[in-house]
Amino acid sequence: MARILVIDDVPAFTALLRMTLETRDHHVEEANDGLSGLSLLERESFDLAIVDMMMPGLDGVELIRRLRARDAPHAPAVIAMSGGTDDFPAAFSLTLSAMHGADRVLYKPFDTSELTAAVDELLAARAA
């Protein structure tokens, strides 16, 4: 069973991702802002973090940059996700996140099969 942290500022969305991943026998925790998510990542061990790029306060780009700057030997794999706005298009935020260390990127809205395929691939790579 993998430990996954979902970080998004929309609680209903994190709950949906939690339910999807828990049906696949993963242990899922949630954080609804970047600072809380980073704090959990610093205190606990996770196999994977799913991070929204656009959050108030500490956004996903900065969260991933800080996580990767620590260069922890057991840092989790990271899936970055974004829906974008007129001021901050999804493609730009996801390009930034990939440059700072995201392993995969997903554009919202995405199908749960896209999410589970990315999760399965990254967890398999960690196990290898």
Side-chain angles (χ1 to χ4, degrees), residues 2 6 13 16-19 22 26-27 29 39-41 51 53 61 66 74 77-78 89 100 104-105 113 120 124:
V6 177
F13 190 69
L16 175 64
L17 294 185
R18 174 194 277 262
M19 288 187 308
E22 284 180 342
H26 298 301
H27 173 81
E29 294 193 34
S39 177
L40 277 169
L41 288 165
V51 182
M53 292 297 95
V61 174
R66 289 184 190 183
H74 302 292
V78 175
H100 290 290
R104 291 288 177 279
V105 294
S113 64
D120 290 348

Side-chain angles (χ1 to χ4, degrees), residues 12-97:
F13 190 69
T14 57
L16 175 64
L17 294 185
R18 174 194 277 262
M19 288 187 308
T20 298
L21 296 168
E22 284 180 342
T23 63
R24 299 178 63 84
D25 294 326
H26 298 301
H27 173 81
V28 181
E29 294 193 34
E30 302 172 29
N32 292 121
D33 63 75
L35 286 174
S36 297
L38 184 61
S39 177
L40 277 169
L41 288 165
E42 290 173 343
R43 290 190 329 262
E44 298 183 34
S45 177
F46 291 93
D47 299 298
L48 176 69
I50 303 172
V51 182
D52 184 33
M53 292 297 95
M54 297 185 338
M55 295 180 284
L58 182 68
D59 65 26
V61 174
E62 181 63 14
L63 185 152
I64 293 169
R65 188 194 68 73
R66 289 184 190 183
L67 180 64
R68 294 303 188 219
R70 289 187 8 230
D71 196 31
H74 302 292
V78 175
I79 295 176
M81 58 184 177
S82 183
T85 66
D86 291 340
D87 296 329
F88 202 73
F92 180 68
S93 75
L94 292 175
T95 298
L96 281 176
S97 65

